[in-house]
């Protein structure tokens, strides 16, 4: 073979060799490109999230109740720091440390990171934030700190791992949390990182700040006096709240025992509960005011009418009622002042079960108050159809009914506020991190429960309880007239009443001529001899009120501007404009369960055609076929409902969740309820998002949760 | 071939100049991040490389003009000088108990093996040309040639630099293959070499480790990090690449990406298209180099042209095969593109010689006799 032929062979062999490399490149670069691209991305890119600062919670006077403190670590790369002396000085002043100590480290001759401080605690980082020197690496992590410790801790709640667990921290998690920032970092093979080009950094957005309606000074007064009172009366626990009568704002609220959110212990679970709203109890005598209001509002008796009190022992329907100090008869006024069980039972017989039920319901018994905190119980209010023997008389004096303390307080708020029930408010406003108002919770009148005239008479009666040698004389204040009512009940274990353990309460408001402040006190399980509300709870009421008056000033106590900050408009005016009473939601096509819920939430009375006991209808099996407003005894909020069974075919039709984002809450509720959905609302303003999302297919209607934000339109 | 071809092969010239200019871009991109970290100077290696490229181009022009026939007279001197340098380096290595492949002459580091492989090609060519009538004989023809081959191969292997010594041995065998040497002799030689290579590899722990790591490179997370990272880079490059200067792998994932693994950076930045163009340029260079060998009428020139082309071919093939994971990782630069110091300059000298041979195609064939007489005088 000639040399030239052999050269040809060699060149062909080499070309074949290179073809193999090209074949391999086709495999790696073309077929496996996606795989290697993701491997490369994984090893060269990192997402770095930066946590936003949590919103601050303030009291009504902008005193910070929940703030952020910091754990700070500082590392330095000495060789990169140009101006060691001034950087050392700045660091020392920001970290409250010694400049010389830092300077020694900063002047080291090294290219490596040297830790300067590790995990030191700082209340604020404003000085540290100003240090912007090459070679100084600052990492800070924020954590929640509650400057007032135990005070208002049940309202504020606490966080764990930056997530709200209870109270406002939990309910307003979405507002407080803020938005995480994100950066894409590029890494080299040695782990050095730098911001990735071509990605706009998303900076973290701090959460919104929340202003509560509470006044931390009043909260302190309340908590101190409650604890003292519980200690003196040897009761197991207790709860109390202060309400601004004209606006429905809660100024202070607490239950004892409480807990320290800065130092959570496993035993704190009892103390974490805000039992003003989470516990229900039999109200006892404080409930009598509802019966009295009904009778007076319906003009069935006058305050001076003589009531037969059966010498202190009243037997009816096989049940027995007793009075502590029996007499043959007394005036309506005396019945209330002396808190006569028999007298009130007689009043309830005048009123009748339907009307007692109606007044109790209108006073908010048996329904949620709508307070913006989670965990509220709605108590139980028996429907007239569920009344047993003697239920009418016993309910009239506060048994066979259960309430939470806030509901009971709001009954007195209503009486004090000319018969207009306000929605209780704990969140005053949301403020963005930059300070602009996002949302303001204005006072909301719920309904006129009794006439203004009735409210004045009832107030007058309650004034007598405190001042005319009634049961509440221990609550009386110097210079200011108090109206209020005591309550004592035997402890209800749930199965029955225990005679030697008592609950004791006092709810009162003042000044009686133009009430502005309401204080409610409730003590559980008093084992002492002295258990009457008038003897135990009333003094606590008095001590709280005395300190409250000292705090706000006696001259201001009957001013309409007290706790109002200027925006207050009299609730009667607002009520006239809003016309809430006449609104009946469209419930056609809704399943009965949802329809009943909506009607009950709005205190609309209803009857279901063809069923005498509507509580016995399996509600999930029926939908509302038709409904009509019914005029009955002049009450236009009365609905007659016709129902029919859901047939199977109908159930299999998939429903599409309508889109209500962007609508105002009112419109959104209207749209959703008209299509048969029930609604749960978080926040206020306009609907930002909803769960389930628009377009989701459902077999049947369910509760739609709306997340709202922004100014009311 | 024809009378007029006394011009250089312009394709070879353009290919090499093109590769050298491209190497400026590639080396700069592959080294800037590394040298920023090392010396806070992104252009450090570029400046260094630029000097070598200028020097290399100068050498191409110089040796292009220098008649290759004068190597007939100095080939013996060249080969013994190479042997001397290799021995010198080995003695240094013994003294320092280290891998020692370099000779420092002032600021220039010189790798004798780069010189030795060209000296060997020239001397083998001279011997094959001179012993033309009896190269098929074992004692008079084959063994004297084999002596020099084994000498150089062994000296380089003991540096230790097995990959270079194998390429030198391989290119020498290619050269013998195209000569009238008996195939039987060559086959026996290669068979006898195999146990030596095995013993050599086994006795060298470092090499064994690299071989075993090679076996799991395909996962991309293999212990042979260099190879795994090279493949990630190539794969990430895809069809059109991540763009000039945008390689991620050069940022400490591929260590010293500007030298032996520069092909991976090219494949990452310029994609499949760029990598294939680079391969095709080498294929063209090789084909044109072999065409020069085929066309020249003089046996000495033919063998030198073939030998030089084969050296370029084997280096580029081994380098690209390593970077694409076809053969186990070994530190071999890719000619003209890798940052490579003296190797680049010496490869340019080789190309200069090849171009000079290309310019003498179609010249009288009597040169053979004329010069052999001169030598014998």
């Amino acid at each position: 073979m000639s040399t030239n032929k052999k050269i040809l062979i060699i060149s062909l062999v080499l070309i074949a060799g290179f073809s193999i490399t090209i074949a391999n490149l086709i495999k790696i670069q073309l077929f496996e490109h996606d795989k290697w691209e993701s491997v490369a991305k994984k090893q060269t890119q990192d997402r770095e999230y930066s946590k936003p600062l949590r919103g601050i919670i303030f009291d009504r006077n902008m005193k910070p109740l929940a703030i952020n403190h910091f754990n700070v670590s500082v590392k330095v790369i000495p060789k990169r720091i140009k101006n060691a002396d001034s950087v050392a000085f700045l660091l020392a002043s920001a970290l409250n440390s010694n400049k010389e100590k830092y300077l020694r480290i900063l002047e080291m001759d090294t290219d490596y990171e040297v830790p300067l401080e590790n995990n030191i605690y700082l209340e604020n980082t404003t000085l540290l934030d100003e240090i912007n020197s090459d070679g100084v690496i600052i990492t800070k992590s924020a954590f929640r700190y509650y400057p007032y410790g135990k005070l208002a801790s049940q309202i504020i709640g606490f966080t764990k791992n930056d997530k709200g667990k209870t109270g406002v921290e939990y309910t307003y998690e979405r507002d407080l949390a803020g938005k995480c920032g994100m950066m894409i970092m590029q890494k080299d093979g040695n782990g050095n990182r730098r911001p990735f080009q071509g990605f706009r950094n998303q900076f973290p957005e701090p959460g919104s700040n929340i202003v509560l309606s509470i006044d931390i000074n009043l909260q302190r007064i309340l908590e101190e006096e409650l604890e003292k009172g519980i200690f003196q009366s040897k009761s197991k626990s207790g709860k109390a709240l202060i309400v601004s009568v004209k606006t429905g704002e809660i100024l202070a609220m607490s239950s004892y025992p409480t807990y320290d959110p800065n130092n959570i212990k496993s035993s704190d679970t009892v103390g974490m509960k805000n039992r003003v709203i989470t516990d229900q109890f039999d109200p006892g005598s404080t409930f009598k005011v509802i019966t009295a209001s009904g009778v007076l509002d319906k003009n069935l008796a006058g305050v001076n009418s003589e009531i037969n009190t059966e010498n202190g022992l009243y037997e009816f329907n096989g049940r027995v009622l007793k009075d502590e100090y029996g007499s043959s008869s007394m005036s309506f006024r005396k019945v209330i002042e002396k808190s006569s069980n028999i007298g009130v039972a007689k009043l309830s017989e005048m009123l009748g079960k339907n009307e007692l039920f109606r007044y109790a319901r209108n006073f908010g018994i048996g329904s949620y108050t709508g307070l913006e905190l989670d965990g509220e119980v709605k108590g139980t209010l028996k429907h007239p159809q569920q009344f047993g023997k003697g239920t009418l008389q016993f309910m009239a004096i506060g048994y066979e009914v259960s309430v939470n303390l806030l509901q009971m307080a709001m009954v007195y708020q209503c009486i004090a506020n000319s018969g207009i029930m306000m929605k209780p408010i704990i969140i005053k406003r949301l403020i963005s991190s930059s300070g602009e108002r996002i949302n303001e919770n204005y006072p909301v009148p719920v309904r006129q429960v009794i006439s203004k005239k009735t409210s004045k008479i009832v107030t007058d009666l309650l004034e007598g309880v405190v001042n005319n040698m009634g049961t509440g004389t221990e609550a009386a204040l110097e210079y200011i007239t108090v109206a209020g009512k005591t309550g004592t009940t035997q402890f209800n274990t749930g199965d029955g009443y225990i005679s030697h353990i008592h609950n004791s309460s006092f709810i009162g408001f003042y000044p009686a001529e133009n009430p502005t402040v309401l204080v409610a006190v409730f003590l559980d399980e008093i084992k002492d001899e002295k258990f009457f509300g008038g003897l135990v709870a009333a003094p606590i009421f008095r001590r709280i009120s005395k300190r409250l008056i000292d705090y706000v000033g006696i001259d201001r106590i009957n001013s309409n501007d007290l706790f109002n900050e200027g925006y207050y408009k009299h609730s009667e005016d607002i009520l006239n404009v809003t016309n809430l009473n006449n609104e009946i939601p469209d419930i056609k096509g809704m399943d009965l369960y949802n329809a009943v819920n909506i009607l009950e939430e709005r205190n609309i009375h209803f009857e279901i055609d063809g069923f005498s006991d509507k509580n016995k209808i399996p509600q999930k099996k029926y939908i509302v076929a038709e409904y009509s407003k019914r005029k009955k005894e002049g009450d236009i909020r009365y609905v007659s409902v016709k129902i029919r069974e859901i047939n199977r075919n109908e159930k299999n039709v998939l429903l599409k969740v309508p889109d209500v984002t962007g609508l105002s809450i009112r419109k959104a509720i209207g749209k959703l309820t008209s299509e048969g959905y029930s609604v749960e609302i978080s926040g206020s303003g306009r609907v930002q998002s909803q769960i389930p999302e628009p377009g989701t297919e459902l077999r049947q209607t369910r509760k739609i949760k709306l997340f709202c934000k922004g100014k009311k339109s | 071939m024809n009378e007029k071809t006394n011009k250089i092969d312009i394709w070879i010239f353009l290919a090499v100049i093109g590769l050298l200019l491209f190497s400026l871009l590639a080396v700069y991109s592959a080294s800037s991040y590394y040298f920023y970290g090392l010396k806070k100077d992104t252009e450090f290696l570029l400046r260094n490389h630029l000097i070598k490229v200028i020097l290399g181009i100068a050498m191409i022009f110089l040796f292009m003009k220098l008649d290759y026939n004068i190597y007939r007279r100095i080939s013996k001197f060249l080969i013994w000088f190479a042997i001397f340098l290799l021995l010198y380096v080995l003695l240094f290595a013994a003294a320092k108990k280290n891998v020692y492949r370099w000779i420092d002459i002032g600021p220039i580091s010189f790798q004798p093996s780069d010189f030795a492989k060209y000296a060997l090609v020239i001397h083998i060519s001279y011997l094959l040309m001179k012993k033309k009538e009896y190269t098929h004989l074992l004692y008079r023809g084959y063994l004297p040639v084999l002596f020099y081959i084994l000498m150089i191969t062994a000296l380089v292997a003991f540096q230790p630099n097995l990959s270079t010594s194998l390429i030198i041995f391989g290119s020498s065998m290619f050269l013998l293959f195209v000569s009238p040497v008996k195939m039987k002799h060559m086959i026996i030689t290669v068979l006898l070499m195999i146990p030596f290579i095995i013993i050599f590899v086994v006795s060298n722990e470092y090499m064994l480790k690299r071989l075993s790591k090679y076996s799991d490179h395909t996962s991309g997370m293999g212990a042979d990090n260099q190879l795994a990272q090279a493949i990630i880079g190539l794969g990430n490059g895809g069809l059109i690449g991540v763009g000039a200067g945008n390689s991620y792998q050069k940022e400490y994932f591929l260590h010293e990406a500007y030298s032996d693994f520069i092909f991976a950076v090219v494949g990452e930045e310029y994609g499949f298209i760029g990598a294939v163009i680079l391969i095709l340029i080498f294929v063209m260079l090789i084909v044109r180099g072999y065409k020069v060998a085929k066309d020249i009428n003089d046996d000495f020139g033919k063998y030198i042209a073939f030998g030089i082309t084969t050296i370029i071919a084997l280096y580029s093939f081994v380098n690209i095969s390593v970077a694409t994971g076809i053969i186990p990782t070994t530190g071999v630069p890719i000619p003209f593109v890798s940052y490579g110091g003296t190797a680049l300059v010496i490869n340019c000298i080789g190309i200069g010689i090849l171009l000079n041979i290309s310019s003498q195609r179609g010249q009288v064939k009597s040169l053979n006799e004329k010069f052999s007489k001169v030598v014998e005088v």
Side-chain angles (χ1 to χ4, degrees):
Chain A
M1 213 193 292
S2 77
T3 297
N4 283 355
K5 266 195 183 148
K6 286 180 185 171
I7 291 173
L8 190 68
I9 291 170
I10 294 287
S11 45
L12 290 176
V13 167
L14 284 169
I15 288 170
F18 279 106
S19 303
I20 293 172
T21 64
I22 291 177
N24 216 27
L25 284 178
I26 291 173
K27 174 176 163 255
I28 295 168
Q29 297 199 279
L30 303 185
F31 292 117
E32 296 178 348
H33 169 61
D34 292 347
K35 169 184 160 193
W36 298 121
E37 190 181 28
S38 73
V39 172
K41 210 168 193 176
K42 216 184 235 166
Q43 70 176 7
T44 56
Q45 283 183 13
D46 248 356
R47 276 163 181 235
E48 200 168 79
Y49 295 95
S50 39
K51 277 190 196 160
L53 274 182
R54 202 171 168 82
I56 294 169
I57 301 174
F58 295 100
D59 88 338
R60 64 187 298 115
N61 299 317
M62 299 306 283
K63 292 205 171 107
L65 307 180
I67 56 175
N68 303 303
H69 280 180
F70 303 88
N71 268 328
V72 176
S73 297
V74 180
K75 282 188 272 185
V76 290
I77 303 171
K79 264 193 164 175
R80 281 217 234 153
I81 295 171
K82 285 179 194 113
N83 208 336
D85 198 70
S86 74
V87 172
F89 172 77
L90 288 172
L91 282 170
S93 51
L95 303 171
N96 309 315
S97 184
N98 184 330
K99 180 192 153 192
E100 302 307 318
K101 188 179 110 194
Y102 288 168
L103 197 57
R104 248 175 283 139
I105 296 171
L106 293 187
E107 283 175 344
M108 279 162 61
D109 184 36
T110 171
D111 231 347
Y112 290 98
E113 289 179 2
V114 183
L116 198 66
E117 289 287 358
N118 209 6
N119 262 336
I120 61 165
Y121 168 77
L122 282 187
E123 287 188 12
N124 72 67
T125 58
T126 41
L127 280 173
L128 202 61
D129 292 339
E130 280 168 22
I131 301 173
N132 194 10
S133 161
D134 190 31
V136 180
I137 303 157
I138 298 166
T139 45
K140 51 180 188 178
S141 63
F143 61 90
R144 212 51 160 167
Y145 178 75
Y146 303 92
Y148 290 91
K150 284 184 171 187
L151 283 187
S153 57
Q154 290 155 347
I155 298 168
I156 301 162
F158 69 97
T159 60
K160 194 177 174 190
N161 301 328
D162 291 328
K163 277 226 147 48
K165 288 289 159 193
T166 61
V168 174
E169 294 269 34
Y170 171 76
T171 313
Y172 283 78
E173 173 66 24
R174 280 174 73 100
D175 297 289
L176 289 167
K179 261 177 94 177
C180 261
M182 190 182 78
M183 257 173 122
I184 293 184
M185 300 298 285
Q186 195 171 322
K187 286 188 297 186
D188 71 16
N190 287 356
N192 300 315
R193 296 147 72 92
R194 62 178 191 276
F196 178 73
Q197 313 223 313
F199 177 80
R200 235 181 64 226
N201 289 340
Q202 293 167 353
F203 293 103
E205 281 173 38
S208 307
N209 300 330
I210 289 178
V211 181
L212 300 181
S213 65
I214 66 165
D215 180 324
I216 198 66
N217 292 316
L218 295 182
Q219 183 74 23
R220 171 174 285 126
I221 292 169
L222 184 86
E223 291 195 27
E224 283 174 5
E225 294 303 335
L226 180 64
E227 185 173 353
K228 206 160 90 187
I230 285 167
F231 179 74
Q232 284 172 354
S233 65
K234 298 187 186 109
S235 44
K236 187 186 158 205
S237 56
K239 50 210 171 211
L241 74 159
I242 305 175
V243 178
S244 163
V245 168
K246 310 266 184 189
T247 60
E249 285 173 337
I250 292 170
L251 302 172
M253 172 164 69
S254 179
S255 59
Y256 182 89
T258 178
Y259 75 105
D260 181 0
N262 290 325
N263 181 21
I264 304 280
K265 295 187 285 283
S266 56
S267 57
D268 283 339
T269 43
V270 179
M272 283 170 192
K273 276 173 92 180
N274 178 7
R275 290 187 299 115
V276 173
I277 57 171
T278 63
D279 277 18
Q280 57 184 40
F281 54 90
D282 291 8
S285 304
T286 49
F287 195 89
K288 289 172 182 166
V289 76
I290 293 175
T291 315
S293 295
V295 171
L296 291 167
D297 203 46
K298 287 273 169 219
N299 258 322
L300 302 172
V303 286
N304 296 319
S305 307
E306 278 297 306
I307 312 290
N308 180 0
T309 51
E310 311 279 353
N311 287 318
L313 189 72
Y314 179 37
E315 285 181 64
F316 60 97
N317 292 338
R319 298 183 72 166
V320 179
L321 269 177
K322 287 180 190 169
D323 273 340
E324 202 70 22
Y325 308 102
S327 62
S328 59
S329 75
M330 54 177 96
S331 68
F332 191 157
R333 179 184 294 280
K334 270 275 173 291
V335 165
I336 298 302
E337 282 171 7
K338 294 292 177 196
S339 198
S340 161
N341 292 334
I342 297 166
V344 175
K346 289 291 177 72
L347 290 175
S348 71
E349 287 163 9
M350 299 178 198
L351 195 56
K353 61 180 182 179
N354 285 329
E355 282 305 309
L356 180 64
F357 170 80
R358 196 175 74 84
Y359 276 101
R361 161 140 280 176
N362 284 354
F363 270 115
I365 306 301
S367 23
Y368 295 110
T369 61
L371 190 74
E372 305 99 325
L373 290 176
D374 281 279
E376 187 183 356
V377 292
K378 68 173 178 177
T380 49
L381 172 65
K382 283 183 182 169
H383 192 269
Q385 287 159 346
Q386 295 167 305
F387 276 28
K389 282 180 186 168
T391 300
L392 171 67
Q393 290 83 346
F394 274 85
M395 194 165 107
I397 62 164
Y399 287 88
E400 295 195 32
V401 59
S402 67
V403 297
N404 67 48
L405 185 60
L406 178 62
Q407 286 172 329
M408 214 53 229
M410 293 319 280
V411 170
Y412 284 77
Q413 178 278 326
C414 177
I415 292 162
N417 192 34
S418 311
I420 297 165
M421 172 156 261
M422 302 299 289
K423 178 177 176 289
I425 286 172
I426 190 85
I427 307 291
K428 247 181 117 56
R429 69 180 70 95
L430 260 65
I431 310 173
S432 75
S433 56
S434 54
E436 51 198 276
R437 230 172 245 208
I438 298 172
N439 191 15
E440 180 85 34
N441 263 351
Y442 293 100
V444 181
V446 179
R447 74 187 79 85
Q448 182 99 39
V449 182
I450 50 173
S451 70
K452 189 171 177 178
K453 190 179 141 223
T454 310
S455 79
K456 293 294 168 219
I457 301 169
V458 178
T459 303
D460 182 51
L461 288 179
L462 294 176
E463 220 184 294
V465 173
V466 179
N467 301 312
N468 295 347
M469 299 301 285
T471 53
T473 48
E474 283 284 332
L477 297 167
E478 286 175 83
Y479 312 118
I480 287 173
T481 341
V482 174
K485 183 76 191 76
T486 55
T488 311
T489 48
Q490 289 171 352
F491 180 63
N492 186 350
T493 60
D495 295 330
Y497 297 92
I498 299 173
S499 59
H500 63 281
I501 302 179
H502 293 85
N503 296 333
S504 167
S505 56
F506 186 88
I507 304 174
F509 50 86
Y510 48 85
E513 314 80 57
N514 180 19
T516 51
V517 180
L518 177 146
V519 180
V521 179
F522 186 97
L523 301 179
D524 305 87
E525 300 181 41
I526 306 164
K527 286 173 187 147
D528 202 11
E529 294 287 297
K530 199 168 105 180
F531 54 75
F532 283 107
L535 297 177
V536 187
I540 300 174
F541 170 93
R542 189 185 66 229
R543 286 194 292 265
I544 291 170
S545 299
K546 251 183 149 171
R547 287 179 65 182
L548 183 146
I549 291 158
D550 284 346
Y551 169 63
V552 299
I554 193 154
D555 304 338
R556 285 188 63 219
I557 199 71
N558 64 357
S559 146
N560 276 337
D561 288 337
L562 185 65
F563 305 123
N564 285 328
E565 294 183 357
Y567 67 67
Y568 169 71
K569 230 176 137 208
H570 196 274
S571 31
E572 277 175 78
D573 300 336
I574 311 173
L575 201 58
N576 287 336
V577 179
T578 49
N579 204 19
L580 263 171
N581 280 346
N582 294 325
E583 220 178 87
I584 289 176
D586 183 3
I587 54 170
K588 192 172 173 181
M590 264 190 211
D591 74 40
L592 189 61
Y593 178 75
N594 286 318
V596 168
N597 269 347
I598 286 174
L599 293 172
E600 282 184 350
E601 267 166 33
R602 296 187 178 204
N603 285 303
I604 297 164
H605 301 245
F606 62 98
E607 257 183 18
I608 297 171
D609 280 4
F611 293 88
S612 56
D613 188 350
K614 61 188 172 197
N615 291 296
K616 283 187 179 164
I617 304 169
Q619 294 179 335
K620 303 230 167 180
K621 277 192 177 174
Y622 291 88
I623 61 170
V624 177
E626 253 177 74
Y627 70 96
S628 53
K629 293 176 195 173
R630 205 200 260 179
K631 284 214 184 248
K632 193 177 175 187
E633 296 157 50
D635 186 352
I636 54 161
R637 285 166 65 80
Y638 202 102
V639 176
S640 162
V641 177
K642 279 185 182 158
I643 57 174
R644 65 181 161 86
E645 240 180 306
I646 300 171
N647 64 44
R648 287 215 176 84
N649 296 337
E650 224 168 317
K651 258 191 147 177
N652 289 333
V653 174
L654 288 179
L655 301 163
K656 275 201 175 167
V657 177
D659 185 358
V660 295
T661 55
L663 300 181
S664 67
I665 291 183
R666 180 176 295 225
K667 279 187 180 157
I669 294 174
K671 188 166 179 185
L672 288 172
T673 50
S674 71
E675 293 189 27
Y677 296 91
S678 61
V679 179
E680 189 186 325
I681 291 161
S682 169
S684 55
R686 286 186 177 276
V687 179
Q688 295 271 312
S689 59
Q690 59 182 84
I691 292 174
E693 287 178 1
T696 309
E697 289 183 335
L698 298 175
R699 289 220 173 275
Q700 67 183 104
T701 59
R702 51 165 282 191
K703 196 173 245 186
I704 307 286
K705 190 158 184 177
L706 302 179
F707 298 97
C708 311
K709 218 177 180 180
K711 274 184 179 155
K712 280 181 181 171
S713 55
Chain B
M1 262 199 39
N2 66 64
E3 305 301 310
K4 281 187 279 175
T5 46
N6 53 359
K7 283 182 185 164
I8 57 156
D9 187 310
I10 196 68
W11 293 107
I12 293 175
F13 179 79
L14 288 179
V16 172
I17 297 295
L19 288 174
L20 286 172
L21 293 179
F22 176 67
S23 81
L24 291 172
L25 203 61
V27 167
Y28 180 42
S29 167
S31 69
S32 57
Y33 191 84
Y34 190 78
F35 278 88
Y36 181 76
L38 207 65
K39 292 180 188 289
K40 296 272 172 293
D41 181 359
T42 52
E43 279 122 49
F44 178 82
L45 210 70
L46 176 67
R47 285 197 301 273
N48 208 321
H49 187 62
L50 184 63
I51 293 167
K52 306 278 160 55
V53 168
I54 290 168
L55 204 60
I57 292 174
M59 288 298 157
I60 292 174
F61 279 101
L62 185 65
F63 282 83
M64 207 167 81
K65 298 288 174 205
L66 193 63
D67 186 351
Y68 74 92
N69 286 298
I70 68 156
Y71 307 124
R72 295 169 198 260
R73 276 182 282 183
I74 56 166
S75 72
K76 195 160 194 168
F77 166 74
L78 291 176
I79 192 76
W80 281 106
F81 185 56
I83 290 166
F84 164 75
L85 289 176
L86 289 170
L87 277 171
Y88 174 81
V89 157
L90 264 188
L91 290 175
F92 249 91
K96 293 200 169 187
K97 294 189 176 177
N98 209 337
V99 179
Y100 206 78
R101 301 170 182 174
W102 306 86
I103 294 174
D104 293 319
I105 311 164
I108 299 165
S109 294
F110 174 71
Q111 203 165 194
S113 60
D114 288 329
F115 169 67
K117 65 199 175 202
Y118 285 106
L120 184 62
V121 161
I122 290 169
H123 194 59
I124 294 171
S125 302
Y126 173 72
L127 291 176
L128 291 174
M129 176 266 296
K130 208 184 146 204
K131 297 172 191 291
K132 192 174 184 177
E133 283 78 40
Y134 34 85
T135 42
H136 60 285
L137 298 176
L138 182 62
Y139 293 102
R140 288 191 68 185
Y142 184 67
L143 284 184
V145 177
L146 190 64
F147 165 76
Y148 289 105
I149 295 173
L150 291 181
M151 184 75 139
I152 299 290
T153 304
L155 285 173
V156 173
F158 281 112
Q159 283 181 344
N161 192 348
L162 185 66
S163 52
T164 303
S165 85
L166 283 178
I167 290 179
I168 289 171
F169 181 74
S171 54
S172 305
M173 285 297 124
F174 276 41
L175 189 47
L176 294 185
F177 172 75
V178 298
S179 77
V181 164
K182 267 200 165 173
M183 201 61 86
K184 188 174 79 186
H185 296 158
M186 283 179 62
I187 291 169
I188 289 167
T189 309
V190 172
L191 287 178
L192 286 174
M193 280 295 282
I194 289 171
F196 281 104
I197 295 169
I198 291 171
I199 288 166
F200 196 88
V201 170
V202 171
S203 67
N204 194 322
E205 228 177 296
Y206 169 68
M207 272 179 215
L208 259 187
K209 237 184 242 169
R210 276 220 299 220
L211 270 178
S212 67
K213 283 170 183 175
Y214 170 73
S215 55
D216 56 330
H217 75 277
T218 40
S219 64
M221 292 294 151
D224 188 347
N225 192 48
Q226 279 289 86
L227 178 56
Q229 291 299 341
I231 288 179
I232 291 170
L234 287 171
N236 191 30
L239 180 66
I240 54 167
V242 296
N246 293 340
S247 161
Y248 296 108
Q249 298 305 97
K250 68 186 185 191
E251 297 181 355
Y252 297 132
F253 291 104
L254 264 178
H255 290 273
E256 301 186 18
Y258 47 85
S259 60
D260 298 345
F261 276 94
I262 201 163
F263 181 78
V265 175
V266 172
E268 185 187 2
E269 293 190 349
Y270 303 97
F272 176 72
I273 293 171
V276 168
I277 288 175
L278 189 63
I279 291 172
L280 292 180
I281 289 172
F282 274 103
V283 169
M284 186 193 76
L285 185 59
I286 292 156
V287 169
R288 296 302 298 188
Y290 285 158
K291 190 169 153 42
V292 170
K294 226 177 79 194
D295 291 348
I296 189 88
N297 281 329
D298 167 34
D299 278 351
F300 182 55
K302 190 185 284 289
Y303 293 138
I304 293 177
F306 179 83
I308 289 170
T309 307
T310 304
I311 285 172
I312 303 295
L314 288 186
Y315 266 90
S316 53
F317 175 71
V318 168
N319 178 285
I320 293 170
S321 300
V322 166
T324 52
I326 296 171
I327 61 172
T329 305
T330 181
V332 168
I334 186 164
F336 312 116
V337 182
S338 287
Y339 170 78
T342 46
L344 185 138
V345 179
I346 289 171
N347 282 333
C348 285
I349 291 173
I351 290 298
I353 295 169
L354 182 62
L355 288 173
N356 180 265
I357 297 170
S358 78
S359 70
Q360 298 202 32
R361 284 176 287 182
Q363 300 252 337
V364 252
K365 59 170 165 184
S366 60
L367 276 174
N368 254 346
E369 290 85 49
K370 207 167 98 193
F371 274 90
S372 55
K373 270 169 203 159
V374 169
V375 170
E376 272 159 29
V377 163

